[in-house]
Amino acid sequence: MQTQAAVGAVRLAAAGLAVIAVCYGLARFAYGLFVPAFTVEFGLGAAAAGAIASSSYAGYCVAVVAATLATVRWGPRAVATAAGLAAVLGTGLIALAPGVPVLAVGVVIAGSSTGLASPPLADAVARWVRADRADRVQTVVNAGTGVGVAVSGPIALLLFGSWRLAWATYCGIAVLVTAWTVATIPGGRTRRQSEDAARGPWWRPGTGRLLLAAAALGAGSAAVWVFGRDLVVTAGVSAAASTLMWIALGVAGVAGAFTGDLVARTGLGRAWVAGMLLLAAATAAFALAPGVLPVVFVAAALFGAVYIGLTAVLLVWGTRTYPDAPALGVGAAFLLIAVGQTLAAPALGLLSDLTTAPVAFGAAAIAAAGGALALPRA
């Protein structure tokens, strides 16, 4: 185990967290932070903004399947590096976009980076971190989403008058993190056991529950990720205050790093039910009081902490459902999160155009509450 000694759990966790921060927090979810700017720049309506977000999630769906298979064939470092390069290309295209088509292509490529990132990092942790520490390290890496969202906000606030420069900054950060990934994550193919497992039957006992739960999380979270900031700005919250709200969402999401310990104490089932009900409550708060600053700050912080925590629960859930092929389990779970978001984003945007944005947020809250019924297999 020379490679294990060379990388170390702390170095692997730090590099993995940085990759997730760039791919999820900057390349993917920062889109929602800039929907008001894109609406003004390109004349987007809610349905069009939702459709672009949906295309990003669709790109994620394709990428997560490719990453799951590629991790088995080429190993974690190659696929994690590809995730970083996709984040670089996608954020760069967004920064330079002269119109909606290039913007949409950039959003799709940037969103695809997230699908490429999760399976190889989950596999790397499963391979090189001791079993008694693996759940904790997995959830620390996963908390990178909150770090990335928290970083995206101050950059947007500092470069308030130039969204293009903000995205160029995201691109520069992605370049640095990609280089760090190459230097830190060991190369080599996945162990033979995982390769054989990935080639065998992919449906395991409990797979259906895992996929249903993941899809419910995707559908229930789409409203806040895509339209959350636009909703509060439309309700009268200032651009600066709404950006601070986004930062609060990301900072609170870092609490997801403790999900591994929570799962160990309470069990997957209790953690999942509590998290989905809290996600529904946070989304409903946006719907009921989008213009009340204290309410939206608390709702955003609750949403950030709970969403990152729930993705960490699914990550642990996936690795336990597929103990011999962790990349496959995590890839399947995160694929269905994206499927839920892909279907929900344009539907919620259309519902918002036909009725009101709070009605669409209410529908998302109902979807999240319903998802609490999808429990892990005993």
Side-chain angles (χ1 to χ4, degrees):
M1 301 302 289
Q2 183 178 2
T3 304
Q4 183 176 2
V7 67
V10 174
R11 284 188 63 204
L12 185 58
L17 183 145
V19 174
I20 294 296
V22 163
C23 293
Y24 280 85
L26 302 184
R28 181 179 177 186
F29 288 134
Y31 172 79
L33 179 60
F34 288 89
V35 165
F38 294 152
T39 298
V40 173
E41 180 80 14
F42 301 112
L44 298 177
I52 292 175
S54 178
S55 67
S56 169
Y57 299 142
Y60 175 100
C61 292
V62 175
V64 76
V65 173
T68 301
L69 300 175
T71 299
V72 173
R73 185 173 182 84
W74 291 301
R77 181 169 66 185
V79 183
T81 301
L85 292 175
V88 171
L89 179 58
T91 53
L93 284 174
I94 293 171
L96 298 173
V100 173
V102 176
L103 173 69
V105 171
V107 169
V108 169
I109 295 174
S112 298
S113 72
T114 55
L116 293 171
S118 293
L121 293 175
D123 187 80
V125 172
R127 291 173 63 185
W128 290 302
V129 176
R130 292 200 322 261
D132 61 333
R133 302 178 66 186
D135 284 356
R136 177 178 295 175
V137 174
Q138 294 280 19
T139 55
V140 167
V141 170
N142 189 67
T145 300
V147 175
V149 172
V151 169
S152 70
I155 293 173
L157 199 60
L158 183 64
L159 303 174
F160 181 72
S162 178
W163 63 264
R164 293 184 186 276
L165 186 56
W167 280 92
T169 303
Y170 298 160
C171 182
I173 295 173
V175 170
L176 296 177
V177 170
T178 302
W180 186 9
T181 302
V182 174
T184 303
I185 298 179
R189 298 176 61 187
T190 299
R191 57 183 177 234
R192 181 72 187 182
Q193 183 183 9
S194 291
E195 185 173 352
D196 292 341
R199 290 175 177 173
W202 70 273
W203 192 272
R204 312 288 176 87
T207 296
R209 296 168 183 250
L210 172 67
L211 300 185
L212 180 61
L217 175 58
S221 63
V224 173
W225 280 127
V226 179
F227 302 110
R229 182 167 181 258
D230 191 52
L231 173 73
V232 301
V233 168
T234 302
V237 175
S238 70
S242 63
T243 303
L244 290 174
M245 177 204 76
W246 196 263
I247 296 171
L249 188 158
V251 170
V254 178
F258 302 102
T259 305
D261 294 330
L262 177 65
V263 168
R265 294 180 180 180
T266 66
L268 281 173
R270 290 181 180 178
W272 178 257
V273 171
M276 289 299 282
L277 293 179
L278 288 172
L279 188 81
T283 305
F286 274 96
L288 294 173
V292 181
L293 202 56
V295 173
V296 296
F297 264 82
V298 172
L302 178 61
F303 177 89
V306 171
Y307 178 85
I308 305 304
L310 285 168
T311 58
V313 170
L314 284 175
L315 193 153
V316 173
W317 189 348
T319 58
R320 292 184 181 179
T321 304
Y322 294 81
D324 53 347
L328 184 58
V330 173
F334 280 55
L335 169 63
L336 265 292
I337 294 175
V339 169
Q341 291 169 330
T342 300
L343 297 176
L348 292 171
L350 181 60
L351 181 60
S352 178
D353 283 343
L354 294 176
T355 57
T356 64
V359 170
F361 274 67
I366 292 172
L373 300 176
L375 295 173
R377 182 171 178 267

